[in-house]
Amino acid sequence: MKRIFCLLLAVLCLQISAAGTERQMHPAVSRLPRQMVWAWERAEDLRWLPAEVGVAYVALVIELDGRRIHLRPRSRPLLLRSETPLVPVIHVDALWHPSPSLSGKQRDAIVGQVLRLAGAGNQKVVQLDFEVRRSQRAFLEELVKRIRAGLPRDYALSVTALASWCAGDYWLDQLQADEIVPMAFRMGNDDKEIRALLAGQPHFTRERCTTAVGLATDEPPIRVNSLRRYLFSPVPWSEEIWQKNHNLTLF
């Protein structure tokens, strides 16, 4: 298994080099498993997962409501084997009504929570999940910049992204994240266009979007040749769901 992984990594590095990517992968990101599952807020028993599969779990939900900030720590149990690679995820929800003020106070609160929870896993990686609107992109850029500056150098920051941000609506060049995970599911009006794009190439070709991808178990599979896949299930994970889906997106 280790030899196969190293070979795949070498092939991917050659592909990225050919595409003109010069950014070096953060060591902590490079050590993450090739396959990760997202464990959302519900109760999950993942003790059956294969040893080489990691878990990115929602550790905290932050709601931005006007000028207010609501913190909702994980309250549902997450059962894992002690050796399972584990990455905490901080999900930020910017409510529509009332729209968040995106104040310095809100920004600093998010930064503080991400830094506080960065060590809640065992991989020295923390993930930020924040789907911003176009008018909120500058806020996300500054937020990521401050988180990255506050993290120890040997810790990595992973950030999820809408798939459109890695396609025709690309804007991520200056985002100071160590890993960007385009979510190629729940794509709304962009679904047909992005599926067609990925059908004609092995992965997203934008510089910041080539090494990881997020996919869902309840949507038609997309065969993407990225180094790492994060899988989302809308219902509690089971061995049956895993077996049906974990190989569908692999070359």
Side-chain angles (χ1 to χ4, degrees), residues 215-240:
L215 301 164
T217 61
D218 62 335
E219 293 192 6
I222 300 175
R223 295 173 65 85
V224 183
N225 188 23
S226 292
L227 173 61
R228 184 167 302 101
R229 289 143 175 92
Y230 289 82
L231 285 180
F232 170 81
S233 172
V235 297
W237 280 101
S238 68
E239 290 187 70
E240 181 181 6

Side-chain angles (χ1 to χ4, degrees), residues 79-91:
L79 302 179
L80 303 165
R81 292 185 297 183
S82 59
E83 66 270 24
T84 297
L86 191 62
V87 172
V89 179
I90 291 81
H91 172 70

